Amino acid sequence: MAEAPVIFSDLLRRLRAGARLTQEELASAANLSRRTVSDLERGVANTPQKETVRLLADALDLLGPERAQFEAVARGRPGQRVSAATAAAAMRSLPRDVASFIGRQRELELLAETAAGAAGVGSIHVIGGMAGVGKTAFAVHAGYRLADRFSDGQIFVLLHGHTPGRRPTDPADALVGMMLTIGVPAAQIPSGLEARMALWRDRVGGKRLLLVLDDAASSQQVLPLLPGRGSSLVLVTSRRHLYALDEATAISLDILPPAEAAELLTHLAGRAGLRPDDQAVAQITRLCGYLPLAIGMVAGQLRHHPAWSVARRAAELAAAVDRVGLMATENVSVGAAFDLSYANLTPGQQRLFRRLGLHPGADIDGYAAAALDGADLATACGGLEALYDHYLLTEPTQGRYRLHDLIREHASALAARDDSRGDRDRATARLLDYYQHTAARAGALIARSTRPAPATAADAVPAEVPALADFEQALAWARAERASLVACLDHASTAGQQVRVITLTAGIAGLLRRDGPWAEAITRHTTAAEAARRLGDRLGQASALTDLGEVHCMTGDYSAAALALGQALGLYRDLGHRLGEANDLSCLGLVRYMTGDYRAAAQALEQALGLYRDVGDQRGEANALHHVGIVRWLTGDYPAAALALEHALDLYRYLGDRAGQANTLLQLGGLQYTTDDYRAAAAALKQALGLYRGFGDRAGQANALTYLGQVRRMTGDFRAAIRAQEQALDIDRDLGSRLGQASAIHELGIVRRLTGDFPAAIQAQEQALGTYLDLGIRTGQASALHQLGIVRRLTGDYPAAAHALDQALGIYRILGERGGEAAALNETGTLHRVRDELAEAEGCHRGALKLARSIASSWNEAHAVAGLGRCALAAGHATQAKHLLRQALEIFQRIGAADATDLQAELDVLTGRAAVG
């Protein structure tokens, strides 16, 4: 049966309808009059001019056989066959590859591997990403790299999902063009989507085609275009996540890495001498958000304006109020690309998008979005997911969304254009109220003590807030929101909202204390205290000063800590605020014992303990008992120290306070180390370290590692000791804890001395001593001087050794630290013995023995007995010497001290049983 002739008027009308254009829009695109288009479609003009046909074909984006068929019908020869050469060329219709294509190697390799793995069955890949990220360039570049695997052709189809002035291509119309491309005569193409799908899949079944479907609007637009069987590869690009393409492999393109972005800019700019490592190049690519389209815009400007300085263009972008507006060339701009995605949103989604541009922070979750948009949680989460679907948001972690920097600027500009100032201010206020309220709740759960209720709080309670039931949940929320909380705090400060500055800073105080950096915490609390002072908020000022004093204490600046805490104490007493006074006294007690004033420390802590009991604050009582235990330990009253710490631990367990348990186990472990119970010390410290790691307390981890390193050293495991101290040192450096660094370095110095590296030991102890002197840590000074005395003696510098040990003894005696005094006396006795001053040596060891037994320090006792034995040996009393040395050996063995090994060898030599050779 003969094919029905194709009439030009019908074909033009069908192609225009397929392109979703009105007669006026087609006429405008082809630079023709509407009357011309109308006459051609009505058949009034049956023989259009060749130039008119060309203009219409261009406006309709006709390519290959489809264009040839259109031109043939216009000439009145609809049955004209397309030449084999023309058909073959049409089957290779990929656009020109981008010569400047850079990077994306990982994604290209993934695509090549999966395409090879799908040989014989075909595969579909959806290439997604935000506007301007280079999806089409990637698909075309990949197409050329893979072209030789698909010998039956490579076809490119533009689906116009985001083409200005055009509706997305109807799948039925796309199929017409695709079938014309593979050589199906127009007269054989049926009407109706289902019939066209069937014919398309029949004609390409068994072929090896590479099909690029560019700028898809939806899965529904793509599904009818897929080959039904065979070994074809389909690459789909889209600004949306196409979830309904079940068997597709998703390739989401991100922004370029900085190095590749710099390479792209220098290549496209075409400037002689411009290098990827130039500072201005790095600044421009960063300001472009490492987005290929934006980088291309700026590079094009530099290429076509040779008089422009790269550095000056970077400065202009940095200073620009509308940075996105500067990224444009001819009729292409970054802002216009973003607008196409924005135009596809519903009004509610557009409003949420604009309000996200008001958020001071980098990312957001459903609760914050609900506050910002004035919506319920479900609606806000749905809106965020919709924006994610359109690649206007990324989701770096589950439930948290982020705007690219340039998209954020664009959203903010749209908000300024489309929303009133009042609407914007109300949205921002709702967001800040949400963060202020939730941070206060989280801060109360994270804080080490019960905080005084603030005089200034959020006026409105948000309708939707996360359920923070315990310490772990609160800490996890605060850490996830840290960047947003700090950004909101900075926004409030810039806007002069002093009440928010006070309350938001108080809300993150516990987080800053735990995670640091403490230099930032000091700045924040100082600012909050000054804001409260200006407002006349005396309770807020006192609370900020207490937070400030606590952080100063953690950094080792005890004079600044004492000053801030003293000011806060005066304010609390003036206000009659007993809980605040108790908190301040507890912290002040910590400062006092860290600076060696144990009497003042005990007095402050006993006052705090009484106040806590009066107001019924059990957490505060546990905190005070914890610190009382430390003071008792430092003054040598070990039984009282253990009793206070165990009472504190019981209270923390009753309260379910895991942080308090960890802190107390840490101190119990230290106490057990001091009393030579190394096994119990290791167990308590491991338990504390596990708790600290469980809730991410890095300062606690460093302290536990330092103590564990000491235990490992005492039991002879020097490798484990070094590993623990180096881990602690790394953490303390990150946190900015000078005291922690000094403690770890001091311990490393001891291990270096024990392993024979005397120069490294001296260097470490001198470094630690300098820090202890700067911080006013007298116990640390005494310990470092003690260790320097030992190393100086071992290297034969007896005068320097004697001087250091005399200084250490003097400090220990002033502090009343009997354990340290006993150890220094033993070492002084050793120094006298090697100088043949036996009477002085024996006197020192006897004094050390008396002190050791008064505080039940087995390690010091064993050293004193061993020292007396060596004095006896030097005096020629071998029998007495062996008896004393065996007595010391038994003590070392009982407590598991590594000193037992050396002493056993010494006894073996003395008794003639040492191994020969």
Side-chain angles (χ1 to χ4, degrees):
M1 183 175 178
E3 296 178 1
V6 179
I7 301 171
F8 181 76
S9 59
D10 293 340
L11 179 60
L12 177 60
R13 189 182 307 109
R14 185 171 64 183
L15 289 172
R16 178 180 60 76
R20 302 290 183 90
L21 297 173
T22 64
Q23 288 183 345
E24 290 86 348
E25 289 168 339
L26 177 58
S28 176
N31 199 24
L32 299 169
S33 68
R34 178 187 175 282
R35 175 68 177 272
T36 299
V37 175
S38 175
D39 286 350
L40 288 170
E41 288 192 358
R42 289 185 294 117
V44 173
N46 292 317
T47 55
Q49 296 180 5
K50 184 176 180 180
E51 179 64 11
T52 301
V53 174
R54 184 188 68 78
L55 292 171
L56 287 169
D58 288 344
L60 291 166
D61 293 329
L62 301 181
L63 299 170
E66 187 178 18
R67 187 182 187 105
Q69 181 75 14
F70 181 76
E71 292 172 348
V73 171
R75 292 195 299 271
R77 290 177 283 178
Q80 177 178 310
R81 295 288 178 180
V82 179
S83 70
T86 303
M91 293 294 285
R92 291 186 292 275
S93 64
L94 292 178
R96 183 177 64 87
D97 195 8
V98 179
S100 60
F101 191 90
I102 288 170
R104 308 293 192 199
Q105 291 306 306
R106 184 182 64 81
E107 293 87 349
L108 286 167
E109 289 168 7
L110 172 65
L111 178 57
E113 289 172 7
T114 53
V121 295
S123 61
I124 307 164
H125 292 73
V126 177
I127 301 159
M130 63 182 286
V133 82
K135 299 179 291 297
T136 300
F138 175 84
V140 171
H141 187 71
Y144 276 103
R145 285 184 56 159
L146 300 171
D148 59 350
R149 303 187 191 181
F150 300 95
S151 55
D152 292 320
Q154 306 90 42
I155 303 173
F156 183 89
V157 181
L158 181 57
L159 298 179
H160 296 294
H162 299 85
T163 301
R166 294 191 64 164
R167 285 171 286 184
T169 302
D170 188 286
D173 296 320
L175 285 167
V176 170
M178 292 160 67
M179 285 190 282
L180 287 172
T181 299
I182 64 172
V184 178
Q188 293 182 12
I189 299 174
S191 60
L193 179 61
E194 295 296 327
R196 290 177 182 176
M197 285 171 54
L199 180 59
W200 162 250
R201 289 175 178 171
D202 176 69
R203 293 298 178 94
V204 298
K207 291 184 180 293
R208 291 185 60 80
L209 287 175
L210 190 152
L211 179 61
V212 179
L213 303 177
D214 188 48
D215 193 21
S218 66
S219 299
Q220 290 69 32
Q221 185 188 33
V222 170
L223 284 167
L225 312 183
L226 301 177
R229 66 183 187 278
S231 303
S232 295
L233 171 65
V234 181
L235 304 181
V236 184
T237 73
S238 182
R239 295 190 189 187
R240 299 195 64 180
H241 289 271
L242 304 182
Y243 299 110
L245 298 182
D246 297 332
E247 297 181 359
T249 299
I251 299 178
S252 289
L253 298 185
D254 201 350
I255 55 176
L256 291 173
E260 292 178 5
E263 187 180 353
L264 179 63
L265 178 68
T266 52
H267 180 83
L268 293 177
R271 292 286 186 97
L274 187 63
R275 296 166 50 86
D277 58 357
D278 286 352
Q279 184 176 357
V281 170
Q283 186 179 9
I284 287 175
T285 55
R286 178 180 58 79
L287 292 168
C288 288
Y290 308 110
L291 185 67
L293 177 62
I295 293 168
M297 297 292 101
V298 178
Q301 294 168 354
L302 293 172
R303 185 175 64 252
H304 292 288
H305 291 275
W308 286 13
S309 158
V310 179
R312 181 169 179 177
R313 193 55 175 164
E316 290 168 349
L317 286 170
V321 175
D322 181 13
R323 187 168 23 140
V324 175
L326 294 182
M327 298 173 182
T329 56
E330 295 188 41
N331 61 341
V332 181
S333 73
V334 174
F338 294 161
D339 280 335
L340 294 174
S341 295
Y342 177 75
N344 283 333
L345 303 176
T346 67
Q349 292 164 0
Q350 290 180 340
R351 185 189 65 243
L352 175 60
F353 176 72
R354 295 194 304 273
R355 288 180 174 171
L356 291 178
L358 304 175
H359 193 305
D363 57 18
I364 194 166
D365 70 352
Y367 289 101
L372 189 59
D373 202 33
D376 59 72
L377 181 62
T379 301
C381 289
L384 290 171
E385 187 63 21
L387 296 179
Y388 173 79
D389 287 346
H390 284 272
Y391 280 102
L392 289 167
L393 294 176
T394 60
E395 190 180 17
T397 59
Q398 185 174 356
R400 297 200 67 79
Y401 298 88
R402 177 171 296 172
L403 287 167
H404 182 273
D405 288 348
L406 295 181
I407 291 183
R408 178 185 305 282
E409 285 194 20
H410 194 60
S412 178
L414 290 173
R417 185 192 72 186
D418 296 344
D419 299 322
S420 69
R421 180 61 178 267
D423 283 345
R424 300 198 305 273
D425 288 347
R426 283 187 289 273
T428 304
R430 286 194 302 269
L431 180 72
L432 295 176
D433 282 342
Y434 161 74
Y435 278 123
Q436 196 170 312
H437 173 87
T438 315
R441 170 62 181 158
L445 291 168
I446 295 170
R448 298 179 66 192
S449 56
T450 307
R451 297 181 64 87
T456 51
D459 295 332
V461 177
E464 302 277 7
V465 293
L468 305 179
D470 54 30
F471 169 84
E472 284 78 10
Q473 290 180 8
L475 189 58
W477 178 87
R479 283 177 171 155
E481 292 287 359
R482 174 173 179 140
S484 291
L485 287 164
V486 170
C488 287
L489 179 54
D490 290 338
H491 173 87
S493 181
T494 302
Q497 299 176 6
Q498 302 299 330
V499 172
R500 290 199 190 277
V501 169
I502 298 163
T503 52
L504 277 170
T505 305
I508 64 173
L511 179 67
L512 291 173
R513 181 196 173 280
R514 287 185 183 280
D515 292 358
W518 292 331
E520 178 186 351
I522 288 169
T523 301
R524 300 284 180 190
H525 293 313
T526 301
T527 301
E530 177 58 23
R533 186 194 65 78
R534 287 198 299 268
L535 289 177
D537 177 6
R538 303 180 73 198
L539 181 58
Q541 182 184 0
S543 183
L545 286 167
T546 300
D547 291 331
L548 178 61
E550 187 172 9
V551 179
H552 273 311
C553 181
M554 295 181 73
T555 64
D557 190 348
Y558 298 113
S559 58
L563 178 63
L565 292 167
Q567 292 173 339
L569 186 61
L571 288 166
Y572 284 130
R573 285 175 171 166
D574 288 347
L575 294 167
H577 202 293
R578 303 179 75 196
L579 176 60
E581 182 182 354
N583 288 342
D584 196 82
L585 283 166
S586 184
C587 192
L588 195 57
L590 174 64
V591 173
R592 297 305 183 207
Y593 75 61
M594 290 301 294
T595 53
D597 192 348
Y598 300 145
R599 181 174 297 177
Q603 183 180 8
L605 291 168
E606 292 293 350
Q607 289 180 46
L609 184 59
L611 285 167
Y612 283 130
R613 285 171 173 164
D614 287 347
V615 299
D617 188 327
Q618 289 185 301
R619 183 195 281 186
E621 181 181 354
N623 291 341
L625 282 165
H626 174 203
H627 291 146
V628 166
I630 297 173
V631 174
R632 300 300 181 218
W633 168 19
L634 292 172
T635 54
D637 191 351
Y638 300 149
L643 185 65
L645 289 170
E646 286 165 0
H647 189 181
L649 185 59
D650 288 342
L651 277 172
Y652 285 132
R653 284 173 173 159
Y654 171 76
L655 295 168
D657 186 338
R658 297 178 71 224
Q661 293 172 49
N663 292 333
T664 308
L665 284 165
L666 175 74
Q667 300 304 332
L668 272 172
L671 176 61
Q672 288 158 343
Y673 160 80
T674 303
T675 56
D676 312 312
D677 191 350
Y678 302 133
R679 181 172 297 178
L685 292 168
K686 285 180 181 178
Q687 192 176 349
L689 182 60
L691 286 167
Y692 285 131
R693 283 175 172 162
F695 48 78
D697 187 332
R698 302 188 71 216
Q701 291 173 49
N703 290 334
L705 285 165
T706 298
Y707 276 137
L708 264 177
Q710 292 175 1
V711 174
R712 300 306 182 209
R713 166 174 61 80
M714 290 300 293
T715 55
D717 190 349
F718 297 145
R719 183 174 297 177
I722 290 172
R723 185 167 57 249
Q725 298 300 347
E726 287 178 343
Q727 290 175 13
L729 185 58
D730 286 342
I731 296 172
D732 285 320
R733 281 173 175 158
D734 286 346
L735 291 172
S737 172
R738 295 184 67 203
L739 175 58
Q741 292 173 59
S743 298
I745 290 169
H746 171 62
E747 275 296 318
L748 284 168
I750 297 176
V751 179
R752 301 300 182 206
R753 186 255 298 171
L754 290 170
T755 54
D757 189 351
F758 298 147
I762 290 172
Q763 182 182 16
Q765 297 302 345
E766 288 179 342
Q767 185 179 350
L769 177 60
T771 304
Y772 287 136
L773 286 167
D774 285 347
L775 299 177
I777 308 298
R778 307 194 70 194
T779 52
Q781 294 167 34
S783 187
L785 286 164
H786 180 183
Q787 291 300 321
L788 276 171
I790 298 175
V791 184
R792 296 298 187 194
R793 188 255 302 167
L794 291 170
T795 56
D797 190 351
Y798 296 155
H803 180 66
L805 289 169
D806 283 345
Q807 288 182 286
L809 268 172
I811 297 172
Y812 282 135
R813 285 168 174 161
I814 290 171
L815 295 176
E817 193 169 325
R818 290 179 287 172
E821 183 182 355
L825 274 172
N826 273 324
E827 179 54 36
T828 302
T830 300
L831 178 61
H832 282 304
R833 177 173 56 79
V834 299
R835 297 170 72 175
D836 295 324
E837 299 163 353
L838 297 183
E840 291 85 348
E842 185 176 341
C844 287
H845 290 310
R846 291 194 183 281
L849 182 61
K850 182 177 180 181
L851 281 169
R853 286 174 174 167
S854 73
I855 59 174
S857 174
S858 299
W859 185 81
N860 275 318
E861 180 182 357
H863 272 286
V865 173
L868 288 170
R870 294 181 183 112
C871 287
L873 183 63
H877 306 304
T879 302
Q880 181 186 5
K882 285 188 282 187
H883 173 73
L884 288 168
L885 290 173
R886 286 193 185 102
Q887 186 180 343
L889 178 61
E890 289 174 1
I891 299 173
F892 281 137
Q893 288 174 335
R894 173 169 52 82
I895 64 176
D899 306 76
T901 302
D902 291 338
L903 188 54
Q904 180 67 67
E906 189 177 346
L907 268 169
D908 288 343
V909 172
L910 182 61
T911 57
R913 292 197 302 272
V916 178

